[in-house]
Amino acid sequence: MAKVRLFASAREAAGTGSDVIDGATVDDVLRNAVERYGEHFSSVLTTCRIWVNGNDADPDATIGPNDELAVLPPVSGGAT
């Protein structure tokens, strides 16, 4: 199981900012998250970066029980 943190539009699509989701790899956790949160979350996920313990993560990266997976949608804005 991984501690999952969801930010911005991913948090809105899931209806929560954090959860614990089962999976042995990043891809497993994300597939289980899509099953839990539905199609809107799935569409948001396509634009997100995934980090594990503060580092970019590949889909086949292993997830342990003490790891934190973060789903980070793109951020826009800034000063004009």
Side-chain angles (χ1 to χ4, degrees):
M1 292 204 147
K3 297 171 200 155
V4 178
R5 304 244 352 235
L6 304 160
F7 296 90
S9 58
R11 178 181 59 235
E12 292 172 15
T16 187
S18 63
D19 204 345
V20 177
I21 300 176
D22 194 29
T25 65
V26 168
D27 192 51
D28 291 342
V29 172
L30 295 177
R31 273 190 275 129
N32 289 335
V34 167
E35 286 182 24
R36 185 174 292 180
Y37 303 130
E39 288 303 312
H40 181 60
F41 179 78
S42 179
S43 67
V44 169
L45 192 59
T46 64
T47 64
C48 294
R49 296 186 64 135
I50 307 301
W51 286 17
V52 173
N53 301 327
N55 298 303
D56 281 326
D58 293 322
D60 60 347
T62 302
I63 294 288
N66 296 317
D67 289 332
E68 181 178 83
L69 184 147
V71 179
L72 304 162
V75 178
S76 64
T80 57

